[in-house]
Amino acid sequence: MLLNFSDLYGHDSIIRSISVNRGNPGYDDSIGLEIDWYDTGLGKVTFYEVLKATFDLNFGMIVCESILSAECTEDDEGLELLKHRKKNFSIIKDLKCSIITTNSTGNQIKIYEKGFHL
């Protein structure tokens, strides 16, 4: 059974770092999040076959960036636009949007990707 990002218990878990890997552009585009999980401790989630990402984050605040909610959806306006622009490319098959909303600032991270692993 495939794990859906929405199935992970992320509420109140703390995002420690975000890394973007473009070492082999177009072939191995990934985004890693180091997360101090509320229930299991420190770990890393790596999203692979990333086509697009948006980071709406605030800096300069003296507060840990914790997760309010994390969901995976195929019903996102940005995802629909991306699929429309790349409709002739096979890469859009199985593309989804993982959305992380933060507690501290109410901001969002959106990652348009094919999957993830822990």
Side-chain angles (χ1 to χ4, degrees):
M1 179 172 128
L2 290 175
L3 185 64
N4 186 314
F5 187 67
S6 302
D7 296 336
L8 299 176
Y9 184 76
H11 185 73
D12 286 337
S13 298
I14 297 171
I15 300 170
R16 296 288 180 197
S17 68
I18 301 170
S19 60
V20 177
N21 178 1
R22 297 262 315 161
N24 192 5
Y27 296 100
D28 183 22
D29 298 319
S30 61
I31 295 176
L33 277 73
E34 185 179 57
I35 298 175
D36 192 351
W37 296 101
Y38 178 79
D39 56 350
T40 60
L42 200 59
K44 186 170 184 175
V45 176
T46 303
F47 296 92
Y48 58 87
E49 292 190 56
V50 174
L51 232 55
K52 180 180 178 177
T54 61
F55 300 91
D56 179 18
L57 300 172
N58 290 329
F59 297 92
M61 299 177 68
I62 302 173
V63 62
C64 291
E65 196 67 89
S66 63
I67 298 172
L68 174 64
S69 65
E71 66 176 304
C72 182
T73 184
E74 293 182 13
D75 185 28
D76 176 77
E77 184 178 321
L79 182 60
E80 292 305 315
L81 287 170
L82 188 59
K83 284 183 173 182
H84 179 72
R85 274 190 262 149
K86 303 209 183 270
K87 63 185 171 192
N88 295 326
F89 295 90
S90 63
I91 189 134
I92 63 167
K93 187 177 187 288
D94 301 324
L95 194 65
K96 53 196 160 301
C97 179
S98 291
I99 304 169
I100 300 168
T101 304
T102 64
N103 264 324
S104 318
T105 57
N107 291 321
Q108 284 191 336
I109 299 167
K110 288 187 176 186
I111 303 172
Y112 300 89
E113 40 78 16
K114 291 268 196 132
F116 74 95
H117 55 79
L118 299 172

